[in-house]
Amino acid sequence: MVAGELVQELHPGAPDDITVMKKTPEPEGDTERCAEPPYAAAAEEAPEGAQEKDVPPADEREAMLPNGGKGGEEEGKHGARLETKLYLRRFAVLAVFSLYSLSNAFQWIQYSIITNVFMHYYGVTSDKVDWLSIVYMVTYVPLIFPATWLLDRKGLRLTALLGAGLNCAGAWMKCASVSQDRFGVTVSAQVVCSVAQVFILGLPSRVASVWFGPKEVSTACAVAVLGNQLGTAIGFLLPPVLVPNTPDDPELTGQNIRIMFYGTAAISTPLLPHCSRDRPPLPPSHAQAVLPDSPGEDYSYKQSIVNLMKNKAFVLLLVSYGIMTGSYYSVSTLLNQMIMACYKNQELNAGRIGLTLVVAGMVGSVLCGLWLDHTKTYKMTTLIVYFLSFLGMIVFFMTGYLPLGFEFGVEITYPESEGTSSGLLNAFAQIFGIVFTLIQGQLTHRSPLIGNLFLCAWIFLGILLTAFIKSELKRHNVNMGAENNHLQALPTNCPEDCSPGEKTNRVKLETSVSFSRETSL
């Protein structure tokens, strides 16, 4: 069977009326069904020689979609109204994901915030300690493609299990690296944690879309990103407290590092058995219901990438998101060195500044998520947050932008996979993060002010690019069309009902579809 597809708009005057139709059986008795949308049980074939009179009239077929296998034989023949349902389990799924994202983010920044301590303990230069953070970015770029392919093919559960498992393994490896001659072991452990990040960082939008309804999806994505930000905040706060600078007593330093590493491993281990299932039994929204339950035989990951890169709005978002998030990565990595260049022996205050940076972003993330669920003004909100981040660069308040980029990307690229779009956004963020960290690191050695001005110039460019993004809220309009009873099912293999259109891997968006723009403020 081929998954049901989105198609043309029957009422040109109403841009929100997105229509999906089912093929009417042939009058000669050919009653083979074309296809069924996801979440549907397999329908029984009608008896041979069924007559046209068995087909319900057009007005009775409107908005008819399978209901997840709940109907009987008549529903198998004629279809059933779309069923959506929100499960309480979605909050547990979100909580578990946030916790192992938290653990992974903590392990990313735990070295950089006390760079001087690890320099003295392992007898290495600052740039080598910087690479313990940069390795997260370097590893992500080549591995994101197989990771998002795995997410599309095998689902959320296996991807999350790999992420949590590798994160736990890396944490325990670090426990074996507590010796002044084992810097290579701690590098290897950090590489394992960085691979785990590939299977974790791009999941917030997928978790939110698959488990949460249209009026809470942006908030859910913000909360999922919140787990990662909270891990970074704890990574700024705890290491300076747990591992104070004691350069004259390496044995005490090693003992303190050991406590930090074992504590991280102990927290990471219990999360393994709680990785979530792929999706709920019934979809949470109409936009999810009309997408395939799993990729079809003709699914092409390569074609999905091509489709995204042909989307001009998404390409602009890739660059602007990369600039903003890359700046955040650079500042987080080099914060200790920036503070220590001006104020000696202030590791604890450097951690507090980092904590302030992330907490401000966490509050912004949640507020933006709630605002987007209420207004759907993705572009306007993105521009405002970007501009405020530019103004606030002096205190580095920029992390509130992270969930905005994920959700905006899903909206303008629907129906392409959320994991693929988020993965590409993160890949560009890592690339910009590597470049910014290396350049700003050199500039910071001369003057932290020059390094900050360098990032300010790039963030201003990001504002200009964001202003040129054409905002088409495709996922939102599908949900609105379904709620207004304008959504029907149309199989892909019905040539007499289908006109040529823009093909995607999951549904077909007809050229005649006119999606409405986002609601203005």
Side-chain angles (χ1 to χ4, degrees):
M1 288 188 178
V2 182
E5 298 179 337
L6 281 177
V7 283
Q8 64 194 39
E9 183 181 357
L10 293 183
H11 307 288
D16 280 338
D17 298 348
I18 311 305
T19 306
V20 190
M21 305 173 57
K22 278 188 179 176
K23 179 187 175 185
T24 302
E26 297 292 336
E28 292 80 12
D30 183 7
T31 59
E32 181 182 356
R33 293 176 62 90
C34 293
E36 300 213 17
Y39 295 99
E44 298 181 8
E45 291 188 3
E48 185 175 352
Q51 303 299 317
E52 181 70 15
K53 62 182 180 179
D54 294 331
V55 181
D59 59 344
E60 295 180 11
R61 297 199 308 270
E62 186 170 346
M64 295 170 71
L65 284 172
N67 66 347
K70 300 292 184 181
E73 184 175 347
E74 286 301 310
E75 291 177 337
K77 294 179 183 178
H78 306 313
R81 284 193 175 275
L82 173 67
E83 282 192 37
T84 61
K85 183 177 180 180
L86 296 177
Y87 295 85
L88 285 176
R89 181 172 179 168
R90 69 191 188 278
F91 297 110
V93 171
L94 186 63
V96 170
F97 167 79
S98 298
L99 284 174
Y100 57 74
S101 182
L102 180 154
S103 173
N104 186 257
F106 175 84
Q107 296 194 74
W108 163 57
I109 206 65
Q110 65 182 161
Y111 292 100
S112 297
I113 196 59
I114 49 174
T115 298
N116 57 319
V117 174
F118 282 103
M119 285 171 56
H120 288 114
Y121 184 73
Y122 286 116
V124 296
T125 57
S126 62
D127 60 325
K128 290 185 178 180
V129 178
D130 289 345
W131 273 98
L132 293 174
S133 171
I134 298 174
V135 70
Y136 262 60
M137 310 173 205
V138 173
T139 306
Y140 191 94
V141 177
L143 293 183
I144 186 55
F145 298 103
T148 52
W149 178 88
L150 183 71
L151 177 61
D152 286 344
R153 281 291 183 182
K154 301 300 182 181
L156 185 61
R157 177 177 172 79
L158 179 60
T159 306
L161 186 61
L162 278 173
L166 289 170
N167 185 64
C168 179
W172 283 107
M173 287 178 64
K174 289 181 181 181
C175 297
S177 71
V178 187
S179 177
Q180 288 184 280
D181 59 348
R182 295 181 185 174
F183 183 71
V185 177
T186 207
V187 170
S188 300
Q190 190 73 339
V191 170
V192 174
C193 292
S194 70
V195 175
Q197 178 215 207
V198 179
F199 298 98
I200 294 174
L201 197 58
L203 293 186
S205 58
R206 181 61 170 259
V207 172
S209 295
V210 170
W211 283 90
F212 288 81
K215 295 183 179 180
E216 58 187 13
V217 64
S218 294
T219 304
C221 184
V223 172
V225 173
L226 193 70
N228 191 274
Q229 294 176 328
L230 183 59
T232 305
I234 297 173
F236 280 128
L237 180 65
L238 285 186
V241 175
L242 296 175
V243 190
N245 188 19
T246 55
D248 298 329
D249 192 348
E251 184 176 346
L252 178 59
T253 301
Q255 182 179 346
N256 293 332
I257 293 175
R258 187 177 291 109
I259 291 173
M260 180 174 68
F261 284 167
Y262 271 99
T264 305
I267 292 173
S268 301
T269 304
L271 299 175
L272 279 175
H274 301 289
C275 291
S276 67
R277 58 186 296 176
D278 288 333
R279 58 178 67 240
L282 288 175
S285 66
H286 300 291
Q288 279 296 308
V290 298
L291 294 179
D293 196 7
S294 60
E297 295 180 358
D298 59 343
Y299 172 80
S300 169
Y301 178 71
K302 179 181 178 181
Q303 184 59 45
S304 180
I305 298 290
V306 171
N307 291 339
L308 290 173
M309 298 310 294
K310 286 182 178 179
N311 187 324
K312 295 179 181 179
F314 183 68
V315 171
L316 288 173
L317 182 63
L318 279 179
V319 179
S320 63
Y321 182 88
I323 290 172
M324 175 63 78
T325 310
S327 299
Y328 162 62
Y329 292 157
S330 179
V331 168
S332 299
T333 301
L334 300 172
L335 184 60
N336 174 271
Q337 296 174 50
M338 285 188 271
I339 300 301
M340 298 298 292
C342 301
Y343 307 99
K344 300 296 182 182
N345 301 319
Q346 294 296 319
E347 297 89 355
L348 189 58
N349 283 329
R352 290 168 178 167
I353 292 172
L355 176 67
T356 304
L357 180 159
V358 180
V359 169
M362 290 164 58
V363 174
S365 294
V366 175
L367 292 178
C368 288
L370 293 169
W371 174 255
L372 290 178
D373 280 330
H374 179 67
T375 66
K376 302 299 179 183
T377 53
Y378 288 88
K379 180 177 178 178
M380 183 65 69
T381 307
T382 299
L383 273 173
I384 292 173
V385 172
Y386 221 123
F387 185 70
L388 291 177
S389 297
F390 172 73
L391 294 179
M393 180 59 194
I394 191 171
V395 285
F396 311 133
F397 293 165
M398 59 186 68
T399 58
Y401 179 77
L402 302 183
L404 283 176
F406 282 152
E407 282 298 283
F408 197 12
V410 171
E411 286 289 346
I412 63 179
T413 61
Y414 179 88
E416 297 296 340
S417 168
E418 304 91 349
T420 306
S421 61
S422 297
L424 286 175
L425 286 170
N426 280 323
F428 270 67
Q430 311 298 336
I431 293 171
F432 276 98
I434 294 169
V435 174
F436 287 170
T437 301
L438 294 176
I439 296 177
Q440 191 187 14
Q442 295 298 317
L443 295 176
T444 299
H445 291 159
R446 300 180 182 180
S447 170
L449 178 60
I450 297 176
N452 291 346
L453 291 176
F454 167 77
L455 290 185
C456 284
W458 277 97
I459 292 175
F460 183 75
L461 175 61
I463 295 174
L464 298 180
L465 293 175
T466 303
F468 286 103
I469 296 176
K470 183 179 180 181
S471 180
E472 292 181 332
L473 306 186
K474 300 177 181 179
R475 181 181 63 178
H476 171 63
N477 282 300
V478 169
N479 286 324
M480 292 298 295
E483 290 177 4
N484 294 330
N485 293 324
H486 294 299
L487 190 65
Q488 298 175 310
L490 177 67
T492 61
N493 56 345
C494 303
E496 53 272 12
D497 291 337
C498 304
S499 58
E502 181 184 354
K503 286 274 188 174
T504 72
N505 279 295
R506 311 178 81 187
V507 294
K508 183 172 70 176
L509 298 180
E510 293 293 335
T511 54
S512 61
V513 173
S514 175
F515 292 104
S516 66
R517 303 294 168 79
E518 66 180 30
T519 307
S520 59
L521 284 171

